[in-house]
Amino acid sequence: SSSSSGSRRAPRPTPPAALKQLVGMLGRHEPDLRDVLFDLVCMPQYLARCAAELPADPAGVLGTFAVTVPTGTTAIARDAFAKCAGLAQVTLPATVIAIEAGAWVDEDEDDDEEEDEDGGEYRGAFSKCQSLREVRLPRNLITIGVAAFEGCTSLNEITLPPNLTMIGESAFDECTSLSEITLPPNLNKIGASAFQECTSLSEITLPPNLDEIGDYAFYECTSLRKITLPAGPVNVGPNAFNNCP
């Protein structure tokens, strides 16, 4: 009857598999963050009235959210936040001096991931965080590792700290919204493909202490119309500026 159906309780909401998977993934790589992340993603306001109403992907479950890495952390692990779809803002503490180099992951190492035609993919600390718009980097950061922000297609601006000396291979590869970046004065190496296919980047000033620009570093930066060169000699790799206007 209508009266009996009206008195029925709605199912108790439970965190869907996507939430558990997200917490587990981040917790494995950053054990100190696990409890913080668990509290963050399981906050009641993110749960629908019943689990059936929640979409399968973490971005849909959570919307977007911010993470502040705890003080005392000195390095961000190589794939700590890789493919974290809902991550929109990250603040790193002053104690972090390195974003560790990512690595090539073969197809047989992770059957659930999408691979490219070579049977694998680069995976860095924040690679393919496609909602990531803002990153606050600490002043003492020295190294941005391989593929650190590769494929962060929503990242439109980032301030690099003054003590940074190296930008690793593919660090900002395919950051297609990145329109402005200031390279710090102590930077001496830009790795291969570091800014490849940053199609919104329109201007770049190379710092005075730069020694090396890797192969394909600014390849297919199709909006790049102004490049200011340093006074000293720079070792420029093949195709570093190919397919730029």
Side-chain angles (χ1 to χ4, degrees), residues 9-28:
R9 287 187 178 179
R12 183 179 179 181
T14 56
L19 283 175
K20 295 177 182 177
Q21 182 181 7
L22 179 63
V23 173
M25 177 183 70
L26 297 178
R28 278 198 307 276

Side-chain angles (χ1 to χ4, degrees), residues 68-83:
T68 298
V69 176
T71 298
T73 304
T74 59
I76 305 300
R78 67 180 184 125
D79 58 351
F81 296 92
K83 293 190 175 182

Side-chain angles (χ1 to χ4, degrees), residues 83 103-123:
K83 293 190 175 182
W104 182 262
V105 178
D106 290 323
E107 179 176 354
D108 57 359
E109 289 184 42
D110 196 338
D111 294 335
D112 295 330
E113 303 291 350
E114 293 181 6
E115 295 85 20
D116 65 14
E117 61 271 16
D118 297 321
E121 62 177 1
Y122 267 126
R123 195 175 302 165

Side-chain angles (χ1 to χ4, degrees), residues 140-200:
N140 295 322
L141 186 71
I142 296 172
T143 302
I144 295 178
V146 173
F149 297 97
E150 179 267 335
C152 292
T153 53
S154 296
L155 187 65
N156 56 33
E157 186 178 351
I158 187 168
T159 300
L160 300 180
N163 294 321
L164 188 72
T165 60
M166 189 192 77
I167 297 174
E169 180 179 347
S170 298
F172 295 95
D173 187 0
E174 293 187 33
C175 289
T176 53
S177 296
L178 188 63
S179 59
E180 181 180 346
I181 191 163
T182 300
L183 301 179
N186 292 320
L187 186 70
N188 55 51
K189 180 179 180 180
I190 298 174
S193 301
F195 295 96
Q196 180 172 319
E197 294 185 46
C198 288
T199 52
S200 297

Side-chain angles (χ1 to χ4, degrees), residues 19 37-47 62 65:
L19 283 175
L37 290 165
F38 187 87
D39 291 341
L40 171 71
V41 300
C42 292
M43 283 191 290
Q45 60 262 40
Y46 290 123
L47 297 178
L62 295 171
F65 58 93

